[in-house]
Amino acid sequence: MIRPIRHSDRRGSVVLVALCVIAVMGIGLAAHLAVSNQATRLANRAFQTSVSKQLAEMGLERALWAFNNNNWSGWTLSGSTATRTITFAANKFGSTGATTSIKVRVDNYNAFQLDAVWNSTTRYRMNDFVLHGGQWYRAFSANQNSQPNLGLAWSVASGSANATWSNSGAYNIGDIVHRAGSWYRCIRTHTNQGPPNATFWSTAPLRSQDWTPGAYNLNDIVMRDGIWYRCILAHATSQPPPNATHWASAATWSAEEAFAGVPPGTTYWSDAQRLAAHAWNSAANYSVGDYVAHGGVWYRCIANHTNKVPFDATYWATNAPVIYTEGTVVLPDATGTTLRTQLRALVAPAPLFPNAAAATETVTFSSGGTVDSYDSSRGAGVGYNPETYNSNLSPYSGTARNLGWSAVIAGGNTGATAVTLTSPAVRGYVAAPSSPSSPFAPRVSFGASATVKGPNSPGAPNVDLTRISRSPFIPQPDIVTPNVGTVTALPNSNATHELGNAQDTTWQTYRFAGNLDIRDNRIYNINGPVRIVVTGTYYHSLYGGSARINVLNNGTAKLEMFIGGDLAIYGNGIDNQSKLPRNVAIYATTTATAPDISTATPFHGVLYMPNGRFNVLGANRILYGALSARNLIFGGVTNLRYDTTLRQTTFSGVEPSYLLTEWRELTASGERITF
């Protein structure tokens, strides 16, 4: 007999199926919610990790601001270390409730301004300042263990013709004044800020770790042109770095490599500054007193060890200023997950001339010519011509291997065209701000025959767009006109005048008050480090005559000119016989649009005119070095050859400023520090 199906059984099966489907959907939904929640947590973690990096970068910026303003208020100072902790409200970086903070540690924060209390073991150089017995003294000759109060090598410091502080005086860094029975040294340019105001004056003498002429002992550490050197052979007479007999460099690769991002060892770049035996080695056994170079600075071993990275202050010490920052984000989860990013950066003086031609407004090449680069330090020695290179072959090829492709033309105008190139050949780069609308092209203009190329650029088009940047870097520090020390009236007659001496280790300053209009055939021979200050206009054979300034090639001669008004260099111009651009610097504070140069004598030097327009006139002009002004105009065919050593060269005629070098994230456990 067939049994009939009951409706209740059928309904029960449907219910079971429905429950199974719901269960599966619930499991799927739960899994989806779990995955979604995990994705949200991962996304939030990634975001907060980026926040920790931003915080660490903010720490670098805060420390660099303190360097550039010489202002460490708000920092905790202990010996040569400055520390600071910065915290933020929980909602500062989004609404997640994360807790954020920045920790900053600056080792050797005062590396560029060290206290100089006299001691018997230091070898002092001419013009060093020391504090002894409550009095300041200036060395008038190199000495060691000569007590300042005995007067054998020291004189009571005055520092200027009138050492008494005046409320109407304009004081520059390094000026010395006397007030209310105490001596002070200016540490920040100002007017009418009376000592003992600690923001502007130091109550103890200060000295720099920059190399200066004089005697050095084994393992003395100095900086020159942004590179740290260690003395490897004691010497009593001036042997400036990078003299490899007396100095070892801490630089790990050359300046052009660092700028262009080219790996060491390629065929295009110099390896003269690369390290070998001096580099830190993780497998070496180090003893107290050993020196190694690492990350661009020198370290001294202070405890025996093996495989301790030089960042570890338990085992290594350095004189270089180093910034460590840590950005921390604590997440508001059950375990208080903490995200940290640590950065490390070196601090070095900022160069004044990172570009071949730079203007905060406009650079204009109205005609043809060539803009390229070379390295004046390559092969320096007897009979070496630093400007020799082969402009027809590839870089560093054949026997004349000194052609570079890293000259930069930079314009800063944000309202119109910043760089105009009618027909020059640029072997390097062009940098200009971008326009505010799509496609946000850089504000540049090229004539049909103008070229911008690198060593590997294709034949067409004429302008290699990979060599056009929207980020011009144009430093604009204040000019510091010298107003201290012995000042001599500049001779003003139609004759040959000898300025300075080859034996001088400090600047000799010559001053002319008013407008100097030279219309004769006079000659100024620059024999040592000489500064010429003209408070008004300086016309060098503009209206006649064939005047000439000779900067001799004797190892010590160099010239700085400070011009207060209009400037014109004509006639026989300035003959820098060393052919090293760093040895001639012209600073002009004028706002005029007429300053110019028009002379057949090749100019080897630099010019800085932050407030005016400078014109290069005439055909077939040759300039070796760099120019920086508010506006630059090259009116005729000009060959501008940029000396790449200027990217590390600092100049004393401007307010010192600093930048970060070789900064990177510390990821290895052996590199990270404890704050």
Side-chain angles (χ1 to χ4, degrees):
M1 181 176 77
I2 299 175
R3 184 180 180 184
I5 300 175
R6 290 180 298 179
H7 292 290
S8 58
D9 293 339
R10 185 179 302 168
R11 287 196 298 272
S13 299
V14 172
V15 171
L16 288 174
V17 171
L19 290 175
C20 290
V21 170
I22 293 172
V24 171
M25 291 179 61
I27 294 172
L29 180 60
H32 175 75
L33 291 175
V35 170
S36 178
N37 188 42
Q38 178 67 9
T40 300
R41 288 198 299 269
L42 291 175
N44 182 53
R45 186 184 181 94
F47 169 75
Q48 298 296 357
T49 298
S50 69
V51 169
S52 72
K53 293 180 179 180
Q54 295 174 37
L55 292 170
E57 291 173 0
M58 290 171 62
L60 292 180
E61 294 173 355
R62 185 63 62 92
L64 187 62
W65 184 92
F67 270 103
N68 280 313
N69 290 275
N70 192 30
N71 185 347
W72 297 93
S73 60
W75 293 72
T76 299
L77 306 180
S78 177
S80 60
T81 300
T83 57
R84 186 168 189 174
T85 299
I86 306 169
T87 58
F88 302 91
N91 62 351
K92 187 69 174 180
F93 296 92
S95 58
T96 61
T99 302
T100 55
S101 65
I102 304 173
K103 292 182 179 179
V104 189
R105 190 184 91 189
V106 183
D107 293 345
N108 301 303
Y109 77 94
N110 55 353
F112 300 107
Q113 294 181 334
L114 302 179
D115 291 342
V117 177
W118 180 83
N119 67 71
S120 60
T121 61
T122 299
R123 298 182 70 168
Y124 292 102
R125 299 180 289 278
M126 182 183 291
N127 211 39
D128 278 351
F129 286 88
V130 298
L131 184 68
H132 182 67
Q135 180 63 277
W136 275 21
Y137 296 87
R138 182 199 294 265
F140 58 79
S141 64
N143 69 86
Q144 183 179 15
N145 196 23
S146 176
Q147 285 189 210
N149 59 315
L150 299 181
L152 299 178
W154 301 88
S155 61
V156 175
S158 60
S160 61
N162 182 3
T164 303
W165 178 80
S166 169
N167 59 8
S168 61
Y171 293 100
N172 296 324
I173 292 176
D175 288 358
I176 305 296
V177 299
H178 186 265
R179 189 186 191 193
S182 298
W183 291 94
Y184 301 89
R185 190 171 191 182
C186 177
I187 58 175
R188 189 174 181 183
T189 302
H190 69 276
T191 301
N192 193 23
Q193 298 290 338
N197 186 328
T199 301
F200 300 94
W201 298 97
S202 170
T203 56
L206 301 174
R207 62 185 175 87
S208 171
Q209 285 196 358
D210 287 345
W211 178 88
T212 57
Y216 287 90
N217 291 322
L218 180 66
N219 291 327
D220 282 350
I221 306 295
V222 300
M223 173 180 277
R224 192 181 194 204
D225 298 338
I227 297 174
W228 290 96
Y229 294 89
R230 178 174 64 91
C231 178
I232 56 177
L233 181 64
H235 50 280
T237 57
S238 296
Q239 300 290 341
N243 183 324
T245 301
H246 298 88
W247 298 96
S249 166
T252 53
W253 59 352
S254 71
E256 287 203 357
E257 289 172 336
F259 177 80
V262 177
T266 68
T267 58
Y268 294 134
W269 307 104
S270 166
D271 61 357
Q273 295 178 339
R274 196 166 292 117
L275 293 173
H278 304 297
W280 175 77
N281 186 337
S282 61
N285 297 318
Y286 290 106
S287 302
V288 173
D290 288 345
Y291 280 84
V292 298
H294 188 68
V297 299
W298 286 99
Y299 291 86
R300 177 174 54 86
C301 178
I302 57 177
N304 298 343
H305 69 275
T306 302
N307 195 23
K308 297 296 183 182
V309 180
F311 309 149
D312 191 332
T314 302
Y315 299 92
W316 297 99
T318 181
N319 293 337
V322 183
I323 303 173
Y324 296 94
T325 69
E326 182 177 84
T328 301
V329 177
V330 180
L331 302 182
D333 55 21
T335 59
T337 302
T338 301
L339 306 174
R340 290 188 175 93
T341 298
Q342 282 195 8
L343 301 177
R344 173 186 182 271
L346 304 181
V347 181
L352 183 59
F353 297 100
N355 309 293
T360 51
E361 291 188 355
T362 60
V363 179
T364 302
F365 279 79
S366 300
S367 187
T370 301
V371 182
D372 54 23
S373 61
Y374 71 106
D375 180 355
S376 67
S377 70
R378 285 182 61 84
V382 177
Y384 169 68
N385 184 349
E387 66 195 34
T388 297
Y389 63 90
N390 191 328
S391 60
N392 297 316
L393 299 177
S394 298
Y396 299 112
S397 60
T399 58
R401 303 176 298 162
N402 200 12
L403 171 63
W405 299 74
S406 65
V408 180
I409 299 174
N413 191 6
T414 58
T417 302
V419 176
T420 300
L421 304 179
T422 300
S423 56
V426 178
R427 294 187 173 111
Y429 304 85
V430 173
S434 61
S435 60
S437 58
S438 180
F440 307 103
R443 295 182 179 275
V444 294
S445 174
F446 300 108
S449 57
T451 62
V452 180
K453 291 185 178 296
N456 300 312
S457 297
N462 284 345
V463 177
D464 184 346
L465 295 181
T466 65
R467 294 203 149 229
I468 310 300
S469 167
R470 294 178 174 84
S471 303
F473 172 50
I474 306 172
Q476 288 280 289
D478 293 335
I479 294 174
V480 181
T481 303
N483 61 3
V484 300
T486 302
V487 178
T488 304
L490 180 69
N492 185 23
S493 62
N494 187 16
T496 298
H497 304 281
E498 306 294 329
L499 306 183
N501 299 288
Q503 295 75 31
D504 291 340
T505 58
T506 57
W507 293 98
Q508 301 298 310
T509 303
Y510 296 84
R511 186 174 184 271
F512 187 90
N515 299 326
L516 179 57
D517 186 356
I518 298 174
R519 305 189 182 197
D520 52 36
N521 302 319
R522 73 183 63 182
I523 296 174
Y524 291 117
N525 286 325
I526 309 301
N527 301 297
V530 168
R531 287 170 169 157
I532 295 177
V533 179
V534 179
T535 62
T537 60
Y538 177 73
Y539 292 155
H540 184 112
S541 297
L542 174 62
Y543 298 112
S546 298
R548 183 171 72 249
I549 297 178
N550 295 322
V551 182
L552 303 186
N553 184 22
N554 60 9
T556 60
K558 53 186 176 180
L559 172 66
E560 288 190 343
M561 300 185 71
F562 297 82
I563 311 301
D566 192 9
L567 169 67
I569 302 175
Y570 283 64
N572 284 326
I574 300 174
D575 183 10
N576 178 2
Q577 297 173 8
S578 73
K579 299 187 183 301
L580 297 175
R582 62 181 297 156
N583 285 344
V584 173
I586 300 175
Y587 312 97
T589 56
T590 181
T591 59
T593 60
D596 57 359
I597 184 171
S598 183
T599 171
T601 301
F603 177 72
H604 296 77
V606 297
L607 177 136
Y608 181 57
M609 184 182 295
N611 304 312
R613 184 180 75 187
F614 189 74
N615 307 272
V616 179
L617 304 180
N620 299 317
R621 300 308 187 205
I622 303 177
L623 295 86
Y624 298 88
L627 308 175
S628 180
R630 183 173 182 177
N631 296 279
L632 281 174
I633 295 180
F634 297 85
V637 174
T638 301
N639 293 317
L640 174 59
R641 286 156 182 169
Y642 175 68
D643 180 2
T644 57
T645 66
L646 296 174
R647 290 203 175 103
Q648 283 73 44
T649 303
T650 54
F651 291 87
S652 61
V654 295
E655 194 80 40
S657 57
Y658 304 95
L659 51 71
L660 301 179
T661 64
E662 298 200 30
W663 72 280
R664 64 187 181 85
E665 183 177 352
L666 302 180
T667 56
S669 58
E671 293 182 337
R672 296 174 67 88
I673 68 169
T674 301
F675 284 87

